[in-house]
Structure formats: C-alpha cells, structure tokens
Amino acid sequence: MAMTRFASSEASRGLLMVAPPALYALLLLAVPLAAIFAFSFWTQDFLTIDFTPTLKNYREAFSEPLYGELILRSVLIAGSVTLATVVLAFPIAYFVSFHVAPNRKSLWIFLITIPFWTSYLIRVFLWKVILGYNGVLNTTLQGLGLTEEPLTFILYNANAVVITLAHAFAPFAILPIFVALEKIDRSLIEAAQDLGENRVMTFIRVTLPLAVPGIVAATLIVFIPTIGDYVTPRLVGGPNGLMIANMIQTQFLKLNNAPMGATLAVIAMTVVTVIALLFIWLNRKWLRARS
Amino acid sequence: MSQATSATPPIVSLRGVHKYYGTYHALRGVDLDIGSGEFFSLLGPSGCGKTTLLRTIAGFEDISQGTLLLSGQDMRGVPANKRPTNMVFQSYAIFPHLTVAENVAFGLRRRRDLDKRAKGALVDEALEMAGLDGFGPRAAHALSGGQRQRVALARALILKPKVLLLDEPLSALDKKLREQMQNELRRLQRHVGITFILVTHDQEEALIMSDRIAVMFEGEIAQLADPQTLYRRPLSRRVANFIGTMNFLPARVNGDMLDIAGLGRATVKPDQAPGGMPSGDGHIGIRPETMSILFEGDATPAQTANGKVVELAYYGDMTYYDVLLDDTETPVTVSMKNLVGRRVLERGDRARISWDERSLVVFS
C-alpha cells in the first residue's frame, strides 16, 4: 500500500517533470503533423474545405509527372549538397582535430561558426552577388582573362542551389565529424603505425572507420533539412532549380489548395524517412560486415 | 659486480641521446646498450624521461642529438612502421572497431607471403600464447583490462619483433592481476626470447621482472645494474631512496673507518661505497631488514645500538618500527618478521638494535 503510494507519487512527479516538454512537443510537432496528415485526405474548393476523406490528392500526386520530377530533383539536389558538404567538411574537421594545437581548437571551431552570425537569407543573397552574370566571380574571371563571356551555368539553376546550400550547411557537417575525430584515442593511430602501416593505410584502417558515426550524423543533418529547403531554390534556383518545397508553398499560398500541399508534404516526408532509414540500415550492415 | 654492459651483443644501442621539447630538455645524454633476449626495465618517477626514451626507440619521437642503433642499423629518419620494434601501449590501444582476432592480425596485412589460412593459424597461435584461446571472434570493446592487455601482447608478438616495448603495461590493473601478469610476462619473455624493454615507475615490479634496470632521474640514467646490485649497492642516496626503503645516518669517514651517529664505529670495504668513498662528512645507508630488534634471550651480536620506539606499523607478517637511536634526531626504520612467540613492542618502549657493518652503504 505504502509502496504503491510511493510509486504513484514518484510517477506523478516524473510526469510533472516531463509535462512541459511533452506539451510543447505535442502542440508544436504532433498537432501540426496530424493536421498536415488530415489535410492530405481532404479537398478544397477556393476557400471552403471539404472534409470528406478521399485519396484523390494522392492519386493526382502520383499521376501528375511534375510532382514526381520535383521530388526526384529535390532528392538529387539534397544528395549532391550532402556529398559536397561532407566531402569538403571532412578535411577541415580532420585538420582542426589532428593538426591544430589543442589550445587553439575552440578558437577554430568558433571561427568555423562565424557564417552563422549573418542571417541565412543574407548569405543566400551574397551568393547571388558572387555567382551573378555581373557578379564577383564572373568579373574576376573575365578580368584575369580566363573567360571571355560571363559563365551562366552558375546562377539560376540547380548548380547554384547546390553551391549555396553546401556553404550554408558546412558547419553542420564539420562539427559532428570533428567530434568523432576528437574521440579517437591518438594511441590507436600510433599503434597502427607501430604495427607497420604508413599514414595512408593508418587513415584507411583506423581513422576513417572510427569517424563513421560522425560522417553518418553529418550526412543526415545535412540531407534532411536541405531536401525541404525552399528559400535557396526560390532565390538562386531559377525555374530549373525549384524543389518540392517551392511547389508545396505554391499549393498552400497561391493555388489555395492546402490539401494538395499537405499531400506533397506527406509524400516528401515519407521519401526522406525511407532514404534516411535505408542509409542507416546500409551503414549498420557495413559496420557489421566489418566486425 | 655491477653489470653496466650486457652479456650479449647489443640489439638496442644509444649514444649521447638528447631530446628537447622546445626549451624543455627531456633526455640529457643517454648512453645505453641493451642485449638480445634481455628483459630490461627503465625505472623512474614520472617525468624522468623513461617514456620519452621508449617512444624514441619505437620511432614516435625523433632524437634531437645522438645516435640510436637497432641491431646495428642507424634509425635516424626511420619511421615507426619501418622499425623492428613493437609496442604495448599504456592504454593498450586496442582497435575498438575490430574483433580480438582482427586486432591480433592487424600487422599481418603486409605479409604478402602468407595466405589467409596461414595468417589464421598465426593468430590462433598468438592468442593461445597470450592465454586468449577462443576469444578471437569477440568484440574488442567488450574485454576486461587484463584481456585487453593480452590482446595488445598477442598483437605485438605475432610480428616477431626484435624488441618489444612495454609502456607501463601493468599500471591499469588491480594488485592481484598485476602480480599474476608480472609472472606471466616474465615467463612469456623467456619463452619467446625477444628483448623486452619495460617502462615502469614501480620499483618492485622492475626488481621482480628485469635482468637489468636503468634508474632514470631528470632525463639521465642515474644507475644501470642488475636488480641485486641496484638494491644492495645503490650509487647515490637518491637511487637508494627510490629502490625500496633505506635509512640514512650522518657519519664521519676516515679511510675505511666510520663513526656513525647513533650506531657507533664501523669498518667498511671499498665496494660498500659504490659512488666513491667520501672523506670527512658523509652518510651511511642501511636497509630496514638488515637491522633487528633484540629481545630477551637473543644472543648479543658484536654491533648493537640503543633507542626508543617512536612509531610502529603492524602489517601482519611484518612489523615496521621507527626507532629513534640515542643522540640522533631522525628515527630509523627497522623491519621485523612476526615469528611465533615474538612479541610486538609498543610505542615508547626502549629497544636494543643489532646491525652489521657489512650491510652498510657509504654515500657522500
């Protein structure tokens, strides 16, 4: 009796503790997600919403080739951004972890986060200035006599989106890889050399496998938000650099078709989930195959 | 008496080795020859340069000045992966992403002459030698401290190095396991016949395991000798203090005649002053176990002294008495076995002590 009272008071205290974050998560995450999910089964005629459940939106989403094309393009752009970001972030993280004096590391990490001090929107505009027809890059290249005409493939297309996003997400990739590299016991590197491996083989056999958790984290952290990005494609993507989020925005705000926007959002979320799970599964399988 | 050189031709040879870290002088002119098949220990307090010396031999640190030869070859500019040495790290440095067998086989990748089966056989052999039968498929991160150490040993010995370097390998283990591993390491070394160089700060461990010991202070070798010489004939008071316990008493020295505070007159042989016989003021050193407290009925030996018990520590098998000898200021420690029927004195008791001039060591 006394036990149960104790347990229940313990439990109620615990519930009280988690209540604010639970409420927060419920109101700001679960409710909007549920709303989006519900909307995807409704229809809208101008401003009135028809609450009769229907699969019409999904049928349309899968039969209209434009939506599929946009999702595929989003996956490809986010994939390219992730690849470029992680590949470029690794050497930076490696350098800071292995070649910067321990007392300078936090300064370096601090410097790496400096781009975050300016608004995301301003950073995107800056890339417009750099990549534009009369932009910094083109005038420099022409000034040096390296090109005769301005390069046009670097702005208002998918390339521009990839460049801009890769820059914006660089710290997100550098930090988890840096943390993973910092956690590697330096005597493991020495042990590999002691056992006869040169620097390159030591990197391949010891450093890289031990950095995998950081690389996986960086990949997911970059891939998941970029696939749904809509500011960057809107500003530097041009007509051929638009992504699925732009279409969702158009459905909601311009075409007054919230149910169709919700449907596309659900499909996009499903695609991200499937790709992320597939990636984690492949990674697990690879790790298990090695050990 | 003292074995400053090894009996077999040297496999490791250092001449005038200096190492600087910026302005810090870590090694100050080390000369050392280590013979093939020797169990050699580098002993000293932390910061004495013993680990630096070991890492220099392994190739993780380059030397600032001097030469290092491994089996007659100059190691200048030779990286760690090209040296005929392998190391057991203090942290063991077991690769956490690999199994025990993969850890042990790590260094075999470059052996193109061996096929997969031959490598597997070598791994099994090494695991058996290290007492890790059947541990091959286990994940490395799930091992205990003692097991990790065995993996580190197997991983190094499988490559049949000319020299095995051990960096405080037993310091992370508890007392029982440490004693067991000391015996095992010694047996393993005799079995494989490889030169072992052990770095330790534990003088007892060094005495138990080594053929020869180099005691290091501040980047220099203070004494290089076999365990018995090191214990009985320390070159300086500092070495004597680091190896076991030694009592020091001021003494007047006149040739081979001594007048020792609290003990009285004694005559010594020249080898009792390994650091050179001082003249005039000097010190003698005497080990606690070479003195004893006389009880009623004991035969009276030639050399005795009187004093008072000021402190005692009862260890079960032994009792350690701090005895303040008459006309002296600092007490000496006397250890007594707690034999059957022998009583334990109390604080404040008067004590009569017997000692022997043959056990004295004279220092300046």
Side-chain angles (χ1 to χ4, degrees):
Chain A
M1 184 64 192
M3 267 315 272
T4 38
R5 192 181 299 158
F6 175 74
S8 76
S9 88
E10 188 87 327
S12 61
R13 224 178 305 156
L15 282 175
L16 208 66
M17 286 268 279
V18 299
L23 199 69
Y24 175 88
L26 197 72
L27 286 179
L28 293 174
L29 204 67
V31 171
L33 271 177
I36 292 282
F37 197 68
F39 259 96
S40 73
F41 295 101
W42 296 335
T43 45
Q44 185 172 9
D45 184 20
F46 192 48
L47 287 178
T48 48
I49 291 189
D50 180 357
F51 295 109
T52 330
T54 168
L55 285 172
K56 176 177 164 287
N57 295 319
Y58 286 94
R59 270 198 298 274
E60 195 188 321
F62 287 113
S63 57
E64 168 63 54
L66 176 64
Y67 300 142
E69 198 185 302
L70 281 174
I71 285 181
L72 182 69
R73 186 192 291 160
S74 301
V75 169
L76 288 178
I77 287 178
S80 313
V81 169
T82 308
L83 189 71
T85 311
V86 172
V87 166
L88 292 175
F90 195 94
I92 297 170
Y94 185 89
F95 176 81
V96 177
S97 180
F98 281 84
H99 294 287
V100 170
N103 57 344
R104 292 273 174 82
K105 281 181 185 174
S106 43
L107 176 71
W108 274 78
I109 292 301
F110 175 72
L111 291 176
I112 284 167
T113 59
I114 278 188
F116 274 108
W117 296 14
T118 36
S119 142
Y120 177 53
L121 205 59
I122 290 172
R123 275 179 284 149
V124 178
F125 271 111
L126 278 173
W127 277 107
K128 261 178 118 145
V129 174
I130 295 168
L131 300 173
Y133 191 81
N134 288 317
V136 177
L137 189 65
N138 275 327
T139 43
T140 310
L141 285 175
Q142 283 173 287
L144 290 171
L146 292 171
T147 53
E148 303 213 328
E149 285 177 14
L151 305 173
T152 51
F153 63 88
I154 51 175
L155 189 60
Y156 299 126
N157 55 29
N159 294 333
V161 179
V162 172
I163 292 170
T164 310
L165 284 175
H167 171 251
F169 280 91
F172 287 114
I174 293 170
L175 291 176
I177 297 173
F178 171 75
V179 170
L181 291 173
E182 279 291 284
K183 273 169 60 187
I184 298 175
D185 180 357
R186 296 306 190 255
S187 67
L188 296 175
I189 313 285
E190 287 188 340
Q193 280 165 8
D194 187 63
L195 294 167
E197 295 296 10
N198 58 27
R199 282 165 189 279
V200 175
M201 284 310 293
T202 298
F203 177 79
I204 293 170
R205 295 188 72 190
V206 179
T207 317
L208 196 57
L210 291 175
V212 162
I215 297 171
V216 169
T219 304
L220 293 176
I221 288 173
V222 176
F223 182 79
I224 293 172
T226 48
I227 200 168
D229 192 75
Y230 102 100
V231 175
T232 307
R234 182 70 199 270
L235 292 177
V236 301
N240 294 324
L242 287 179
M243 291 162 70
I244 189 68
N246 302 103
M247 178 52 82
I248 295 171
Q249 186 233 8
T250 305
Q251 293 286 352
F252 267 100
L253 302 179
K254 296 217 175 107
L255 301 177
N256 284 329
N257 194 351
M260 193 61 219
T263 307
L264 292 176
V266 169
I267 293 172
M269 278 190 282
T270 312
V271 169
V272 172
T273 311
V274 167
I275 292 175
L277 288 177
L278 199 70
F279 181 72
I280 292 170
W281 178 73
L282 279 174
N283 181 58
R284 284 242 178 98
K285 209 178 152 189
W286 180 75
L287 279 183
R288 198 168 305 147
R290 287 189 53 85
S291 62
Chain B
M1 190 79 192
S2 129
Q3 294 182 356
T5 53
S6 56
T8 42
I11 195 143
V12 179
S13 183
L14 294 109
R15 287 288 171 274
V17 169
H18 289 262
K19 173 73 187 172
Y20 296 88
Y21 293 104
T23 55
Y24 180 65
H25 202 170
L27 294 176
R28 301 166 181 243
V30 174
D31 294 300
L32 185 61
D33 282 324
I34 298 172
S36 180
E38 242 193 309
F39 199 125
F40 192 92
S41 290
L42 295 167
L43 173 66
S46 52
C48 73
K50 56 190 193 297
T51 297
T52 304
L53 187 56
L54 195 80
R55 291 174 56 81
T56 298
I57 298 170
F60 297 128
E61 311 280 350
D62 49 352
I63 53 182
S64 311
Q65 197 186 314
T67 54
L68 162 64
L69 306 181
L70 289 182
S71 50
Q73 283 185 310
D74 195 339
M75 285 294 122
R76 184 170 294 273
V78 179
N81 56 326
K82 299 264 168 62
R83 295 196 183 189
T85 57
N86 284 114
M87 184 137 160
V88 174
F89 290 82
Q90 186 168 13
S91 63
Y92 309 139
I94 305 299
F95 301 118
H97 57 302
L98 303 177
T99 64
V100 169
E102 285 168 331
N103 262 284
V104 174
F106 193 91
L108 291 180
R109 185 192 68 83
R110 292 172 65 257
R111 291 282 301 273
R112 305 284 186 216
D113 54 316
L114 298 174
D115 60 10
K116 215 174 167 186
R117 263 184 49 202
K119 285 180 184 176
L122 276 177
V123 169
D124 289 342
E125 193 188 312
L127 286 174
E128 197 193 321
M129 184 176 63
L132 285 170
D133 269 329
F135 277 73
R138 287 222 199 164
H141 56 79
L143 297 176
S144 73
Q147 290 163 345
R148 296 167 85 82
Q149 160 154 66
R150 288 163 194 271
V151 175
L153 269 171
R155 186 177 72 178
L157 287 174
I158 198 171
L159 301 176
K160 304 204 165 50
K162 292 207 167 100
V163 182
L164 183 74
L165 307 167
L166 302 114
D167 185 8
E168 307 233 9
L170 306 174
S171 60
L173 305 179
D174 62 57
K175 192 164 178 281
K176 273 262 155 61
L177 192 57
R178 191 160 62 227
E179 283 165 4
Q180 184 195 335
M181 285 308 293
Q182 284 170 356
N183 288 327
E184 252 182 78
L185 268 180
R186 191 78 187 92
R187 202 165 52 232
L188 194 62
Q189 193 269 337
R190 286 201 197 100
H191 174 69
V192 295
I194 291 171
T195 305
F196 277 34
I197 304 179
L198 172 81
V199 157
T200 181
H201 63 267
D202 183 341
Q203 46 96 15
E204 202 172 89
E205 185 171 296
L207 291 177
I208 292 168
M209 298 171 77
S210 322
D211 294 319
R212 287 192 309 149
I213 301 168
V215 181
M216 291 183 73
F217 296 121
E218 274 108 43
E220 282 175 306
I221 294 179
Q223 187 167 6
L224 174 58
D226 62 281
Q228 292 199 27
T229 307
L230 203 58
Y231 190 80
R232 288 187 186 154
R233 296 286 179 259
L235 273 177
S236 64
R237 286 165 69 185
R238 195 166 182 196
V239 172
N241 231 343
F242 196 73
I243 312 288
T245 314
M246 194 173 243
N247 297 301
F248 299 103
L249 289 166
R252 292 280 307 160
V253 186
N254 186 5
D256 58 357
M257 305 284 284
L258 306 175
D259 187 5
I260 307 158
L263 291 181
R265 294 185 180 282
T267 313
V268 291
K269 298 200 174 72
D271 73 277
Q272 282 176 266
M277 188 73 81
S279 68
D281 286 332
H283 288 86
I284 61 96
I286 187 163
R287 298 274 184 200
E289 70 278 9
T290 63
M291 294 188 282
S292 49
I293 288 171
L294 290 171
F295 290 93
E296 303 81 10
D298 287 353
T300 309
Q303 288 166 310
T304 59
N306 291 305
K308 193 176 86 172
V309 175
V310 292
E311 194 56 79
L312 70 146
Y314 179 77
Y315 276 74
D317 58 336
M318 306 279 287
T319 306
Y320 285 81
Y321 295 99
D322 283 352
V323 178
L324 187 65
L325 296 171
D326 295 344
D327 307 320
T328 60
E329 279 148 26
T330 42
V332 293
T333 303
V334 180
S335 66
M336 291 295 286
K337 274 210 175 95
N338 293 329
L339 300 178
V340 179
R342 179 178 281 171
R343 79 192 163 89
V344 174
L345 296 181
E346 282 171 32
R347 240 183 324 176
D349 285 356
R350 291 291 299 174
R352 190 144 188 248
I353 285 166
S354 83
W355 57 284
D356 191 323
E357 63 188 14
R358 289 172 300 174
S359 68
L360 298 179
V361 188
V362 187
F363 304 106
S364 55

